[in-house]
């Protein structure tokens, strides 16, 4: 959403205090662009310090995204805005079909829980449960990203850095904003469409317009009592329409490969529109059949060719999820006296989104181990079908055959997995200056509460499916036996033995009135913070070579965290688990911060300043207190050049949810297959299984006897082995961050500001979330006990146990645990060049780039450290590209009534980890994992163009095109199995849906 708009105004003459020189130059430049508000009365918020004084300077780089940049992008969600920053590991929770729709930020590839998110310097909410959807784009003045440790200033979780959203306040008048966007994409032929054609799936080709989004907002404000009181409020509505995976040629089916040189193949569903029938007894037991699509009453092998005999399991899944979001809030500032100002603000949001899924009955294996049954004299069975299922009992009354039915009802409406995220955040405080303005104070309280409801798809009851399959002939009419005997008069017969069943009455019987299980998570954070900041120079505590005195800030903070998860009875029934969980945690902290200008404006030094800070934290869940600190220095030998350096110790205690989950042990069926069992052949899913890609020696690392390697007895039901959730004790993690940089503002090039910063973040005792495949892959490749401890095989070698028995063996762990260490190192490059061109207007250029030199981890002291920089895939996940940047150039007309902005985004190439040399330390993967046709992702460039002009003094119009050349995202075969993300044959970090066209208007009354 574009910025809330005021009339064009002249750029500020005074420098903007943003803490970072490049950020300040960008803010000053953007304030003069067309349609961008300039409010001299706005509060100055400096990220990275609690000390209140003019001309604060940060010793760590701060990357700022301004309201003008947000307007130029035309983004609908904040997530889209921060995803463009090279410091951020890209994510798309709002669209990602396996997520719950929350928007979060992951700095430097170090995880969500290590990025602290603030609004005007106060926490948004409970860590790792925050939804940035609470922030409407229209309300954002700027976004500051300070990377590296900041725990001494802000407390726990600020390990990778801080993202501070500075909001617009003190509105006056009425402001209306509207944005509308859609994707204008050309679906082209590719290796994916070739694979779809071989599978018999149709592909969309040619130009399409879809994925419409709308964003409407209104803000009103009024100054009262001689401008001593301001009251303002806003409301915002956003929505997004559905784009399915099959709406994009490159995602029309999930492509997989089985060897380095094999062509792409489409994943096939076991649920088919012709109806999948799997006998569970007799000579045909386990054979997957489908009803012959020609309707002749015979079975044919699944995926044997005719339309309807095979299906795409994900074609109706969401690529862009539909959502409806409401935001509302208000602000009050009241100058009670010359020394006391009251401020109150509140934010509310409610977001509803859903993932579309196929309408289908579930396999009996979802309910347990008892198959469905069909009576052998069922009138829907042909003689041929009865013979296949019942053998000698074909046509005999009173005889039943066990079977599995996997029917996909394509004629019926899609079902939905729904997510409702709602919450509020209220802040109230007093601030002001006292004692001849030598001291400032700020005392605030904040409550943030969310509610995250996940509503699963409705599930037909097992007994209903069984009853509908037990059908007899009553006066020539197929009728459920339960209707005849009165046990279920509402039963509708299920003709599972005819193709393309479109019986809506059956669908209503199976699913009518059924609701999905509901998991409700309620995170809540209370924060009380008091800060006193003083300029001791007023008392003569000043260096003899400086003009400003020593500055100090003292603070105390109390936080109360609560995380509760409730499950309804249907969830428990469907999942055989779901005990309600409630955990609390309290934190007491105190901190001190110092700024000491030692030399200012001397002939031999322009500025020499030292900063320091210390915070002590006490968590009631931990036995001991822990301390965090920072030491910083700034030196400008001349005004043209500034050197800066900082060294931080940051710590993050286990969050209340992680700590509770670690102690809450339960079991369920997983989403992984035993890697040492015979594997499904991706090229021929219904053919014979193939041998594991891991060796017998590697499988022995997991506790498997050599004679059981590749044994069919290891195959878990549905290739879903058992998972143990939780069970590891947790302790705080610690990070040491070093930043060294230089800022250049050469006098011979007026308007140019450049910074180069080297940063190193070294994390110890890292809190990690391990999925079963993390334990398995680590154990298989290294044999180290650090990984192998998460694998417990049964005596017969299997990894399958009944989740209801709390088994001691037969599972792989899943959950949070302390790892050894991770490192994230790199260089940040920022530049801002503002140049006036007289009658031609002005030109502003902004550059932000990151060179990653290390994205690494080391699981244990005796495991080789790995460096995932520039690689993606098994062992590294998505990781980060070696180089990424964005470079925006904006021309503004002389009268500042119009502007044109071009943005160039770039990501360097990323090979797959299987091609990584041994020197990276990335665990070696089997040669069979190589994909010579798709060895990685090439370098990518995108260009975005935006136009803004003022129609009159009250109205501004915007038009933008993002990804103007409609660049397709990269094709990544096996992306879900390698990274566990989208089924769209790609990874995050790339424009997934093509060219986006945005139009917007802003009105101020």
């Amino acid at each position: 959403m574009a910025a809330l708009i005021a009339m064009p105004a002249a750029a500020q003459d005074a420098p903007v205090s943003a803490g970072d020189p490049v950020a300040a130059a960008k803010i000053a430049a953007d304030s003069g662009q067309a349609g961008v508000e300039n409010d001299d009365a706005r509060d100055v918020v400096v990220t990275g310090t609690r000390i209140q004084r003019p001309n604060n300077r940060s010793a760590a780089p701060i990357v700022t995204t301004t309201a003008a940049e947000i307007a130029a992008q035309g983004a609908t969600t904040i997530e889209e805005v921060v995803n463009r920053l090279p410091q951020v590991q890209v994510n798309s929770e709002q669209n990602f079909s396996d997520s719950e729709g929350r928007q979060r930020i992951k700095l430097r590839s170090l995880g969500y829980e290590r990025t602290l998110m603030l609004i005007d310097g106060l926490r948004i909410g409970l860590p790792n449960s925050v939804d940035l959807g609470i922030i409407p784009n229209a309300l954002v003045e700027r976004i500051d990203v300070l990377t590296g440790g900041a725990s001494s200033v802000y407390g726990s979780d600020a390990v990778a850095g801080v993202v501070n959203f500075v909001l617009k306040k003190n509105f006056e008048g009425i402001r209306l904003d509207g944005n509308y966007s859609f994707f204008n994409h050309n679906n082209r032929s590719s290796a994916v469409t070739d694979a779809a054609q071989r599978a018999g799936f149709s592909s969309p080709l040619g130009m399409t317009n879809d994925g419409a989004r709308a964003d409407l907002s209104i803000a009103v404000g009024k100054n009262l009592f001689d401008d001593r009181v301001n009251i303002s409020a806003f409301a915002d509505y956003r929505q997004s329409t559905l784009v399915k995976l099959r709406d994009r040629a490159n995602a029309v089916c999930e492509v997989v490969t089985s060897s380095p040189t094999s062509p792409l193949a489409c994943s096939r569903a076991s649920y088919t529109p012709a109806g999948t029938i799997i006998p569970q007894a007799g000579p045909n037991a386990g054979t997957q059949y489908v009803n012959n699509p020609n309707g002749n009453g015979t079975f044919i092998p699944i995926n044997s060719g005719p339309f309807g005999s095979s299906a795409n399991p994900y074609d109706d899944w969401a690529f862009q999820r539909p959502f409806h979001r409401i935001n509302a809030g208000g602000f009050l500032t009241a100058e009670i006296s010359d020394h006391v100002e009251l401020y109150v603000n509140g934010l509310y949001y409610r977001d509803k989104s859903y993932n579309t899924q196929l309408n289908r009955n579930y396999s009996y294996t979802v309910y347990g181990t008892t198959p469905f049954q069909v009576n052998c004299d069922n009138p829907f069975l042909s003689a041929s079908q009865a013979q296949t299922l019942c053998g000698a009992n074909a046509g005999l009354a009173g005889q039943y055959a066990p079977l599995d039915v996997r029917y996909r009802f394509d004629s019926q409406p899609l079902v939905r997995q729904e997510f409702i995220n709602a919450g509020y955040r209220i802040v109230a405080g007093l601030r002001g200056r006292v004692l001849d303005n030598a001291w400032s104070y700020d005392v605030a309280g904040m409550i943030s509460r969310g509610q995250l409801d996940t509503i699963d798809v409705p599930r037909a009851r097992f007994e209903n499916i069984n009853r509908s399959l037990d059908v007899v002939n009553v006066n020539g009419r197929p009728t459920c036996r339960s209707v005849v005997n009165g046990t279920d008069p509402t039963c509708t017969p299920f003709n599972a033995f005819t193709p393309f069943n479109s019986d809506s009455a059956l669908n209503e019987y199976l699913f009518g009135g059924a609701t999905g299980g509901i998991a409700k998570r309620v995170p809540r954070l209370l924060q009380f913070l008091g800060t006193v900041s003083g300029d001791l120079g007023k008392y003569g505590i000043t260096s003899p070579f400086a003009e400003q005195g020593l500055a100090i800030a003292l603070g105390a903070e109390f936080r109360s965290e609560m995380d509760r998860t409730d499950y309804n009875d249907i969830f428990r029934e469907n999942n055989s688990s779901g005990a309600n969980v409630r955990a609390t945690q309290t934190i007491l902290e105190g901190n001190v911060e110092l700024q000491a200008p030692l030399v200012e404006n001397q002939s031999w030094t322009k500025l020499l300043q030292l900063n320091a800070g210390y915070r002590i934290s006490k968590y009631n869940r931990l036995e001991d207190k822990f301390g965090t600190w920072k030491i910083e220095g700034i030196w400008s030998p001349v005004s043209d050049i500034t050197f800066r350096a900082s060294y931080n110790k940051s710590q993050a205690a286990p969050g209340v949810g992680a700590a509770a989950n670690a102690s809450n042990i339960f079991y369920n069926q997983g989403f992984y297959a035993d890697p040492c069992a015979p594997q499904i052949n991706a090229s021929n899913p219904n053919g014979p299984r193939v041998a594991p890609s891991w060796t017998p020696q590697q499988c022995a690392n997991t506790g498997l006897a050599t004679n059981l390697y590749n044994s069919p007895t290891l195959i878990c039901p549905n290739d879903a082995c058992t998972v143990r959730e939780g069970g590891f004790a947790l302790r705080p993690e610690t990070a040491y961050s070093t930043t060294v940089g230089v800022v250049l503002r050469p006098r011979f090039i007026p308007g140019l500001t450049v910074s180069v910063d080297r940063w190193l973040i070294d994390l110890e005792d890292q809190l990690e979330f391990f999925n079963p495949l993390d334990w398995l892959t680590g154990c298989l490749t290294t044999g180290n006990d650090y990984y192998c401890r998460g694998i417990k095989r049964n005596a017969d070698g299997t990894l399958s146990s009944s989740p209801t028995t709390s088994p001691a063996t037969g599972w792989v762990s899943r959950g949070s645990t302390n790892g050894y260490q991770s490192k994230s190192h790199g260089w940040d490059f920022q530049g801002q060049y503002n140049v006036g061109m007289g009658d031609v207007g002005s030109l502003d250029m902004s550059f932000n780039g990151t060179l990653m030199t290390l994205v690494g981890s080391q699981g244990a002291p005796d495991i080789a450290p790995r460096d995932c920089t520039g690689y993606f895939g098994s062992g590294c996940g998505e990781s980060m590209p070696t180089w990424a940047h964005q470079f925006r150039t904006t021309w503004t007309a002389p009268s500042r009534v119009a502007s044109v902005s071009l943005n160039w985004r770039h990501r360097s190439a990323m090979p797959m980890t299987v091609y990584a040399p041994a020197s990276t330390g990335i665990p070696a993967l089997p040669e069979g994992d190589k994909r010579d046709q798709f060895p990685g992702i090439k370098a990518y460039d995108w260009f975005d163009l935006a136009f803004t002009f003022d129609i009159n003094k009250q109205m501004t119009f915007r038009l933008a095109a993002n990804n103007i050349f409609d660049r397709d995202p990269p094709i990544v075969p096996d992306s879900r199995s390698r990274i566990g993300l989208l089924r769209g044959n790609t990874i995050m970090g790339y424009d997934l849906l093509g060219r986006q066209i945005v139009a917007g208007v802003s009105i101020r009354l």
Side-chain angles (χ1 to χ4, degrees):
M1 181 63 192
L4 289 168
I5 300 303
M7 294 179 290
Q12 291 176 314
D13 295 327
V16 179
S17 178
D20 182 275
V22 178
K26 177 187 287 189
I27 295 170
D30 287 354
S31 66
Q33 292 179 22
V36 177
E37 180 182 1
N38 175 45
D39 184 357
D40 292 336
R42 64 192 172 194
D43 299 322
V44 174
V45 177
V46 178
T47 300
T49 181
R50 297 290 190 189
I51 292 177
Q52 297 292 316
R53 76 184 325 178
N55 301 317
N56 255 324
R57 294 190 184 184
S58 173
I62 297 175
V63 177
T64 290
T65 299
T66 64
E69 290 179 293
I70 298 172
Q73 183 179 343
T76 308
T77 66
I78 284 293
E79 185 179 57
E80 297 171 78
V81 176
V82 296
N83 273 347
R84 290 193 172 189
L85 299 176
Q87 292 80 11
V88 171
Q89 182 171 343
V90 177
N91 192 42
S92 187
E93 295 274 326
Q94 187 65 66
N95 296 334
F96 172 23
S97 59
D98 287 337
S99 80
E100 57 191 13
R102 285 186 296 135
Q103 301 175 58
R104 298 175 290 172
I105 301 174
K106 187 191 304 182
L107 288 174
R108 306 297 196 196
S109 192
L110 287 174
Y112 306 113
E113 63 279 2
R114 300 185 187 102
T115 299
L116 181 60
M117 289 175 280
L118 311 172
I119 296 178
D120 292 332
L122 290 175
R123 293 170 180 251
I124 296 180
L126 192 67
N128 207 25
S129 68
V130 167
D131 185 353
L132 292 181
I134 198 171
I135 303 172
N137 297 6
L139 210 64
V140 177
E141 179 72 37
R142 72 177 197 264
I143 305 170
D144 289 345
V145 177
L146 184 149
T147 53
S151 289
S152 65
V153 177
Y154 295 112
S156 183
D157 311 311
V159 171
V162 171
V163 181
N164 189 19
F165 295 88
V166 180
L167 302 187
K168 298 183 176 186
K169 297 171 280 290
N170 297 327
F171 302 149
E172 186 167 23
I174 301 175
R175 302 167 190 174
L176 303 171
D177 280 89
N179 263 16
Y180 179 82
S181 67
F182 63 93
F183 292 99
N184 171 244
H185 177 65
N186 184 20
N187 281 302
R188 308 170 182 90
S189 298
S190 67
V192 177
T193 60
D194 292 343
Q197 185 178 17
R198 290 191 293 271
F201 303 153
S202 60
S203 300
L205 295 174
M207 192 65 69
T208 184
N209 296 313
D210 58 14
R213 298 178 177 187
D215 188 350
L216 300 172
S217 69
I218 180 172
V220 297
K222 180 65 175 177
N223 287 329
L224 303 169
F225 306 109
D226 297 325
D227 297 338
R228 294 174 67 90
V229 175
N230 177 271
I231 300 176
S232 56
F234 76 93
D236 181 273
Y237 173 75
R238 285 173 278 181
Q239 71 169 24
S240 172
T241 57
L242 174 66
V243 178
K244 300 176 183 177
L245 286 171
R246 63 182 171 92
D247 292 332
R248 289 295 179 268
N250 277 0
V252 67
C253 70
E254 181 187 47
V255 289
V256 295
T257 51
S258 57
S259 73
T261 58
S262 64
L264 301 184
C266 290
S267 293
R268 307 292 186 92
S270 62
Y271 295 80
T272 61
T276 302
I277 306 296
I278 309 173
Q280 298 298 302
N284 302 309
T287 303
Q288 292 188 334
Y289 294 108
V290 296
N291 298 304
N292 196 321
N294 67 14
N296 67 358
T298 63
F299 292 137
I300 62 173
I302 194 171
N303 302 327
S304 55
F307 173 78
S309 66
S310 63
N312 178 352
Y314 306 118
D315 53 1
D316 282 314
W317 286 57
F319 213 162
Q320 173 177 281
R321 288 163 57 168
F323 69 80
H324 297 268
R325 177 174 298 149
I326 297 173
N327 292 76
F331 301 86
L332 166 67
T333 58
E335 187 179 339
I336 298 174
S337 71
D338 292 342
H339 305 293
V340 181
E341 182 184 58
L342 168 71
Y343 61 95
V344 180
N345 62 72
L347 300 174
Y348 167 82
Y349 79 106
R350 186 180 189 273
D351 174 82
K352 183 176 182 179
S353 64
Y354 61 87
N355 291 327
T356 50
Q357 296 185 22
L358 300 167
N359 188 318
R360 57 183 177 172
N361 77 289
Y362 281 128
S363 162
Y364 80 84
T365 58
V366 172
Y367 303 93
T369 58
T370 303
F372 300 130
Q373 291 190 100
V374 62
N375 55 310
C376 291
D377 62 338
N378 190 306
F380 290 135
L381 285 172
S382 69
S384 171
Q385 292 170 328
Q387 182 65 38
T388 300
L389 293 173
C390 298
N393 292 329
L396 295 181
Q399 299 298 314
Y400 289 84
L403 80 166
D404 196 10
V405 177
R406 302 182 183 185
Y407 214 110
R408 172 170 155 171
F409 303 100
D410 281 6
S411 64
Q412 302 302 312
L414 298 175
V415 295
R416 299 178 177 182
Q417 182 184 33
E418 297 184 349
F419 304 89
I420 301 175
N421 298 335
Y424 61 84
R425 179 181 183 272
I426 300 173
V427 176
L430 296 172
R431 62 192 172 201
R433 289 188 173 272
V434 295
L435 302 178
D436 197 26
N437 292 331
W439 294 87
S440 63
Y441 66 91
D442 195 335
V443 181
M446 185 274 292
I447 180 171
S448 174
R449 184 186 186 277
Q451 181 169 313
L452 295 71
D453 292 350
T454 300
I455 307 169
D456 288 337
V457 297
R459 184 181 298 185
R461 297 182 65 86
F462 177 85
E463 53 268 30
N464 282 22
I465 299 175
N466 246 351
R467 289 170 184 164
S468 68
L469 290 171
D470 189 3
V471 180
V472 295
N473 199 329
V474 177
N475 298 323
R477 181 177 181 179
T479 305
C480 292
R481 191 184 305 273
S482 60
V483 172
V484 176
N485 61 29
T487 56
D488 185 1
T490 65
C491 178
T492 299
F494 182 4
N495 187 354
F497 312 103
T498 187
F500 313 114
N501 188 314
S502 59
D503 187 349
S504 57
L506 169 67
N507 211 250
E508 177 64 23
Y509 171 69
L510 293 180
F511 300 101
T515 60
I518 301 176
K520 178 185 297 183
R521 184 182 177 192
V522 181
R524 188 218 65 206
L525 173 66
L526 289 173
Q527 181 182 19
F528 297 95
L529 175 68
T531 302
V532 176
S533 174
D535 183 356
L536 303 185
K538 296 289 182 75
Y539 306 102
I541 305 176
T542 305
S543 165
F545 304 106
E547 298 172 357
Q548 298 185 98
L550 181 72
I552 186 172
L554 301 169
E557 184 170 348
F558 170 80
R559 297 194 300 276
S560 173
E561 300 177 345
M562 186 276 290
D563 202 351
R564 188 181 84 236
T565 303
D566 299 330
Y567 304 93
N568 71 351
D569 291 339
I570 296 174
F571 182 96
R572 295 189 185 98
E573 180 182 348
N574 290 347
N575 295 277
S576 301
S577 64
N580 292 346
V581 177
R582 184 181 187 275
T584 61
Q585 181 167 255
T586 59
I587 304 101
L588 280 171
E589 296 182 318
N591 72 295
V592 59
E593 191 178 355
L594 298 172
Q595 283 185 5
L598 303 179
V599 181
E600 288 183 295
N601 299 318
Q602 301 295 318
S603 58
W604 42 280
T605 292
K606 182 70 174 176
L607 173 66
L608 177 62
Q609 179 173 303
L610 295 179
N611 304 331
Y614 180 79
R615 176 180 293 257
I616 188 167
S617 304
K618 173 58 181 173
Y619 283 65
N620 72 322
R621 284 183 172 270
L622 302 178
E623 293 183 4
D624 300 320
K625 299 182 286 292
F626 61 88
T628 56
W629 44 260
K630 71 172 183 177
I631 300 173
E632 301 176 334
I634 302 172
W635 177 41
S636 296
V638 293
S639 59
D640 305 61
I641 183 169
T642 298
F643 297 100
R644 57 190 180 187
S646 66
Y647 186 53
N648 287 264
K649 178 193 176 186
S650 296
Q651 286 191 284
V656 59
N661 291 336
S663 60
N664 180 30
I665 302 175
F666 62 95
Y667 300 81
N668 58 38
Q669 291 304 120
F671 44 82
Y672 70 98
D674 191 330
C676 300
Q679 304 294 298
I680 294 174
N681 186 344
S683 298
N684 184 18
N686 298 295
R689 291 189 174 228
V690 297
S693 58
W694 304 99
T695 67
Q697 292 74 24
Q698 289 172 319
C699 287
N701 293 339
T702 70
L704 183 69
T706 305
N707 66 307
L708 292 174
Y709 174 78
N710 197 30
S711 171
T713 62
L714 300 179
I715 300 174
C716 297
N718 288 320
D719 282 317
C721 300
T722 306
V723 175
R724 186 195 73 173
E725 305 277 1
F728 294 98
L730 303 179
R731 58 184 182 274
E733 59 184 13
T734 302
Y736 294 94
S737 302
T738 303
T739 303
V740 180
V742 60
V743 180
L744 303 175
R745 287 178 288 185
R747 280 169 284 187
F748 55 88
I749 309 179
L752 177 65
T753 307
V754 176
S755 67
V756 180
D757 293 274
R758 171 65 166 161
W759 52 269
L760 306 98
I761 304 174
D762 297 330
L763 180 66
E764 301 173 355
D765 292 330
Q766 60 187 10
L767 291 168
E768 294 185 279
F769 189 90
F770 274 72
N771 281 306
L773 288 178
D774 297 319
W775 297 108
L776 286 164
T777 301
C779 182
L780 287 161
T781 54
T782 69
N784 191 282
D785 184 63
Y786 174 78
Y787 293 106
C788 299
R789 65 193 169 110
I791 304 167
K792 302 294 182 184
R793 290 187 179 273
N794 288 319
D796 60 1
T798 60
L799 289 173
S800 181
S801 298
S802 172
T804 60
T805 62
S806 298
T809 59
W811 41 260
V812 178
S813 291
R814 181 175 184 267
S816 297
T817 184
N818 283 97
Y820 184 54
Q821 63 180 9
S822 285
K823 297 178 184 291
S824 186
H825 298 174
W827 294 82
D828 278 340
F829 300 85
Q830 289 195 76
Q832 182 71 32
Y833 184 40
N834 309 327
V835 57
M837 299 185 296
D839 294 339
V840 183
S842 62
L843 198 65
D844 304 310
M845 289 178 282
S846 176
F847 181 85
N848 178 19
T850 293
L851 176 68
M852 299 295 300
T853 59
L854 177 60
V855 180
S857 64
Q858 186 176 3
D862 55 347
I863 294 178
R866 70 183 67 174
D867 182 3
C868 291
T869 306
Y871 289 94
F872 77 94
S874 300
C876 288
E878 294 173 89
S879 190
M880 297 276 283
T882 303
W883 172 257
H885 76 245
Q886 60 175 343
F887 179 31
R888 181 176 293 278
T889 302
T890 302
W891 169 81
T892 304
S895 56
R896 292 174 177 158
V897 297
S899 64
V900 180
S901 185
L902 176 67
N903 188 38
W904 168 30
R905 294 177 283 136
H906 174 83
R907 283 170 67 95
S908 61
M910 295 186 69
M912 287 172 49
T913 51
V914 70
Y915 292 95
S919 60
T920 63
I922 297 172
L925 295 168
E927 284 292 313
D929 280 8
K930 290 185 175 180
R931 298 294 179 261
D932 295 342
Q933 299 177 68
F934 299 91
I937 299 171
K938 297 179 180 179
Y940 260 68
D941 294 279
W942 303 267
F943 295 90
D944 314 312
L945 189 62
F947 301 90
T948 301
F949 60 90
D950 293 339
I951 297 174
N952 55 39
K953 292 183 177 182
Q954 284 78 37
M955 183 178 294
T956 299
F957 180 75
R958 296 173 303 280
L959 184 65
N962 298 316
N963 186 9
I964 57 178
F965 296 114
D966 193 26
R967 186 90 190 264
D968 282 325
I971 297 174
V972 180
D974 308 297
S975 59
R976 185 164 59 95
S977 62
R978 292 177 184 274
I979 308 174
L981 288 175
L982 284 171
R983 298 166 173 84
N985 307 318
T986 191
I987 66 174
M988 303 297 182
Y990 300 84
D991 288 22
L992 302 184
L993 297 176
R995 180 192 300 115
Q996 185 183 36
I997 307 298
V998 186
V1001 64
S1002 297
I1003 302 171
R1004 178 171 179 171
L1005 303 175

